Amino acid sequence: MEKSHQHDLLRDKLDSYRLLVQEVRDYAIFLLDLQGNVNSWNEGAERIKGYRADEIIGKPFSLFYPKQEIENGKPFKNLAVALRDGRFEDEGWRIRKDGSRFWASVIMTRIQDDRGKVIGFSKITRDLTEKKEAEDAIRRSEARFRLLVSGVKDYAIFMLDPEGKITSWNEGAERIKGYRVEEIIGKHFSIFYPEEDKAKDKPNDELKKALQHGRFEDEGWRIRKDGSRFWADAVITCIRDAAGEVIGFSKVTRDLTERKAAENEIRKMNVDLERRVKERTAELQAANEALKQRTKEAEEANRLKSQFVSNVSHELRTPLNAIIGYTYLIGDLCREAGEEQRTALEGIERNAGDLLQLINGVLDLSKIEAGKISVERGEVEMAGLIKDLVENMGRLTEGRPVRVEYKVAPDLPLIESDVGKIKQILVNLLSNAIKFTPEGRVTMEAKASPEKGGIEVAVQDTGIGIKREALPKIFEAFYQSDADSTREFGGVGLGLRIVKDLVDLLQGEIRVESEHGKGSTFTLFLPYRLY
Ligand code: ADP
């Protein structure tokens, strides 16, 4: 009787809410009787929990709880709290009809009749699964992030509250700055700045700038716990919540002391290097100037010398030619002269001839060396030249048993060069070969040398040869390999020197091979054309 009275009252109350509640879709809104049995059911309840009204009305509300919690008596403990306090609020897993879970936010409220007697409970449940999942995801990522940050060793990463007090601290911060978490949390971050920066209020300035621009980066000295300085690169970032309210700052600091030291070292080295390069350049310039001056002086001296030599030679040549002329004249006039006189005259003739040769040589050499000789380019037909030379000079063997021959490759090409100078070179080589060959053979041989881009003319003899130690010197002026042979063969020691200079003028090369007592070979190379 008592019980059915309660039910009636409850139903009356319920009627007044029913229409209002029935249509709500986003909330499960339903009533429980004192025993916790479901008494009403709205559309939201059906949508969220999956039961239709006729399936669930009269069933205990514990059906909505996970098995574990039913076993723990949780549903009725919650109901007891609502009964005692008038209201019970909870978030937790609940079970749908199909057995799936959802994260529910639940408010249970005690319902009393007019006389204050508890007649049941209203229950409003919201499905917060999505929100819960999103929150969990955030929480997980935050946890991961915290873990990551806390483990970073190379960067001090920490947070400041809006006033600049430290609220978090990672391993890198401890390593770089020397403070442990418990000593630093709550301290103002200006503790890391040198006195002079603090005096200028630099720490707060930086916060202001970060606040203004969202981010502020700076390089400068910072102080470790032990008072030592380090060169830091620091980035302060302002952090705001979704509403745009500043909730603090993150600060990432890197210790660049080593880099700074290295940079300084490099800078110093660069300065040093620059200074040394400058000094050296100045030295070189001075040396260069001095050299230029000396070269100028030397050139001038050389020019004067050549001029002097050429003047003297000219002056000597005139009287010498006269002497030679008069000698011939005396020879003609004194046909009847005795043996002794003739020998004396011949001596004068021979010596005057040598002297003329010497003077001509000196004149040639001084002209070449003064740069007064120019190359007269033209086409040179070597085969003909060699043939003429050998035929004319072959007679100079003075009755000695010496054969003078030539060999010219049939395909020998024409070359571009200076025929007069080539002739002078070859006359020199050939007359030396004949002169220094008491008996045997002298051969002039010409062939093309395509790999070197020119032709080669070898003058070979089977004469006295040249001593090994003399070989490197024979192209020097006035060098004669041995005095005895010179006395025997005549000559002044200028021929090869002139040859060498002429070969250089013709952009060629000359080399010599010789074996003392067996003969010599002088090989001349001339390019196909001059550049
Ligand atoms: P010289 O007027 O004395 O011949 P050169 O300059 O022509 O002067 O030659 C220098 C020296 O080189 C000669 O004195 C000689 O000793 C040596 N010489 C040159 N050609 C030959 C050669 N074909 N055989 C041996 N010795 C040579």
Side-chain angles (χ1 to χ4, degrees):
M1 177 66 200
E2 178 64 25
K3 197 174 171 194
S4 88
H5 171 67
Q6 275 179 16
H7 271 278
D8 291 344
L9 274 174
L10 194 55
R11 195 158 298 120
D12 289 347
K13 208 115 184 137
L14 188 126
D15 281 340
S16 53
Y17 288 120
R18 181 166 284 141
L19 283 174
L20 179 71
V21 164
Q22 195 57 47
E23 305 293 317
V24 173
R25 285 182 53 85
D26 290 340
Y27 294 83
I29 303 176
F30 52 98
L31 294 167
L32 302 179
D33 64 16
L34 269 178
Q35 286 70 42
N37 293 325
V38 177
N39 203 279
S40 77
W41 203 238
N42 79 335
E43 217 176 307
E46 179 170 344
R47 201 180 61 80
I48 293 172
K49 308 213 187 224
Y51 298 96
R52 286 194 320 273
D54 58 318
E55 293 174 324
I56 197 69
I57 292 196
K59 299 264 166 60
F61 83 114
S62 58
L63 273 181
F64 307 137
Y65 282 78
K67 211 167 146 232
Q68 178 74 39
E69 303 211 13
I70 300 173
E71 277 163 15
N72 292 339
K74 184 93 183 285
F76 291 96
K77 276 183 203 154
N78 292 353
L79 207 61
V81 174
L83 188 63
R84 187 189 68 208
D85 301 342
R87 180 185 161 83
F88 171 78
E89 226 181 300
D90 183 30
E91 269 195 19
W93 291 113
R94 295 294 185 271
I95 306 295
R96 296 198 187 88
K97 183 187 167 193
D98 64 5
S100 62
R101 294 196 315 173
F102 69 99
W103 186 260
S105 150
V106 179
I107 299 173
M108 224 176 333
T109 314
R110 189 174 68 189
I111 304 173
Q112 287 158 292
D113 65 11
D114 302 340
R115 284 168 291 158
K117 193 168 178 339
V118 178
I119 51 175
F121 304 91
S122 73
K123 208 176 164 195
I124 301 180
T125 301
R126 202 147 53 110
D127 181 352
L128 294 183
T129 311
E130 276 174 22
K131 189 173 155 237
K132 160 90 173 149
E133 274 168 0
E135 279 171 7
D136 280 353
I138 289 173
R139 208 165 298 128
R140 271 198 303 276
S141 96
E142 272 178 355
R144 266 203 300 272
F145 183 66
R146 246 193 305 280
L147 200 68
L148 192 80
V149 166
S150 72
V152 170
K153 291 203 181 71
D154 292 337
Y155 292 81
I157 303 176
F158 53 98
M159 303 278 292
L160 307 177
D161 69 10
E163 277 73 52
K165 293 215 186 78
I166 294 154
T167 58
S168 80
W169 198 240
N170 79 336
E171 212 175 310
E174 174 166 345
R175 199 181 63 81
I176 293 175
K177 309 210 183 222
Y179 296 94
R180 289 194 316 277
V181 201
E182 62 273 17
E183 354 180 75
I184 199 70
I185 296 282
K187 297 261 164 55
H188 194 265
F189 83 111
S190 57
I191 193 169
F192 308 131
Y193 286 73
E195 282 309 321
E196 63 266 25
D197 285 347
K198 277 195 247 177
K200 282 186 276 175
D201 207 23
K202 189 168 168 193
N204 285 321
D205 257 13
E206 293 190 351
L207 280 196
K208 267 184 223 148
K209 281 179 188 143
L211 200 64
Q212 232 175 348
H213 307 294
R215 180 179 188 279
F216 178 75
E217 184 163 4
D218 177 41
E219 270 195 24
W221 290 111
R222 296 290 188 275
I223 309 291
R224 296 200 187 87
K225 185 186 165 191
D226 63 8
S228 60
R229 276 171 181 242
F230 67 98
W231 184 261
D233 167 275
V235 179
I236 304 179
T237 312
C238 179
I239 301 174
R240 294 169 188 273
D241 65 11
E245 203 62 36
V246 176
I247 53 175
F249 300 90
S250 72
K251 201 165 176 211
V252 179
T253 302
R254 209 152 39 122
D255 181 351
L256 296 184
T257 314
E258 271 170 34
R259 201 187 79 183
K260 173 104 173 143
E263 273 173 12
N264 281 346
E265 199 52 38
I266 289 172
R267 203 167 301 133
K268 250 191 272 160
M269 266 159 62
N270 270 343
V271 169
D272 201 43
L273 205 65
E274 225 166 83
R275 186 178 48 77
R276 274 171 30 208
V277 167
K278 264 194 203 137
E279 280 170 13
R280 196 86 190 94
T281 312
E283 273 170 34
L284 285 176
Q285 263 164 0
N288 202 19
E289 281 310 312
L291 194 67
K292 261 195 213 149
Q293 183 57 27
R294 283 223 295 282
T295 312
K296 231 162 85 189
E297 285 166 14
E299 274 168 5
E300 179 59 10
N302 207 28
R303 198 185 59 76
L304 287 174
K305 184 202 78 184
S306 300
Q307 181 129 37
F308 173 74
V309 170
S310 110
N311 287 348
V312 169
S313 310
H314 263 295
E315 296 307 320
L316 285 174
R317 238 182 357 177
T318 318
L320 192 56
N321 277 321
I323 291 173
I324 292 170
Y326 284 123
T327 316
Y328 286 140
L329 195 62
I330 294 171
D332 284 348
L333 290 177
C334 308
R335 246 182 262 278
E336 310 302 305
E339 181 74 15
E340 231 175 289
Q341 285 88 344
R342 260 211 304 280
T343 315
L345 265 181
E346 272 168 25
I348 296 175
E349 247 181 66
R350 204 178 46 250
N351 280 291
D354 281 353
L355 201 51
L356 189 63
Q357 202 195 334
L358 170 63
I359 290 169
N360 283 338
V362 168
L363 202 58
D364 277 352
L365 193 62
S366 70
K367 271 196 211 148
I368 294 176
E369 306 218 325
K372 284 192 183 148
I373 298 270
S374 56
V375 175
E376 285 173 29
R377 286 164 192 254
E379 227 167 49
V380 182
E381 203 257 309
M382 289 297 286
L385 182 69
I386 289 170
K387 180 171 176 277
D388 286 353
L389 273 178
V390 171
E391 277 171 6
N392 286 325
M393 293 182 63
R395 299 192 206 108
L396 301 177
T397 53
E398 292 157 351
R400 279 177 281 136
V402 179
R403 269 194 298 145
V404 184
E405 301 168 337
Y406 66 91
K407 242 197 265 173
V408 175
D411 58 349
L412 195 68
L414 295 178
I415 61 168
E416 182 205 37
S417 197
D418 180 331
V419 69
K421 296 191 175 62
I422 296 178
K423 207 169 180 176
Q424 206 177 338
I425 294 167
L426 293 180
V427 165
N428 250 300
L429 295 179
L430 196 58
S431 56
N432 274 347
I434 293 170
K435 189 163 71 176
F436 294 110
T437 305
E439 58 180 302
R441 195 171 53 228
V442 172
T443 323
M444 194 182 276
E445 187 177 348
K447 60 175 195 264
S449 172
E451 66 280 5
K452 286 181 77 180
I455 61 166
E456 274 188 345
V457 185
V459 180
Q460 191 170 26
D461 66 59
T462 58
I464 62 168
I466 303 165
K467 287 186 182 143
R468 182 188 296 274
E469 64 273 17
L471 270 180
K473 296 188 190 147
I474 55 167
F475 291 102
E476 289 171 16
F478 300 113
Y479 181 81
Q480 293 179 307
S481 99
D482 66 274
D484 293 348
S485 65
T486 310
R487 220 165 294 131
E488 191 182 339
F489 301 106
V492 295
L494 279 178
L496 285 183
R497 171 57 187 264
I498 293 172
V499 162
K500 175 84 180 75
D501 284 346
L502 291 173
V503 169
D504 286 345
L505 265 176
L506 299 184
Q507 298 153 22
E509 281 162 25
I510 181 140
R511 59 176 200 274
V512 58
E513 287 146 285
S514 182
E515 199 175 327
H516 189 54
K518 290 207 169 152
S520 317
T521 305
F522 286 80
T523 308
L524 167 70
F525 165 81
L526 293 170
Y528 287 139
R529 44 191 58 256
L530 302 172
Y531 49 75

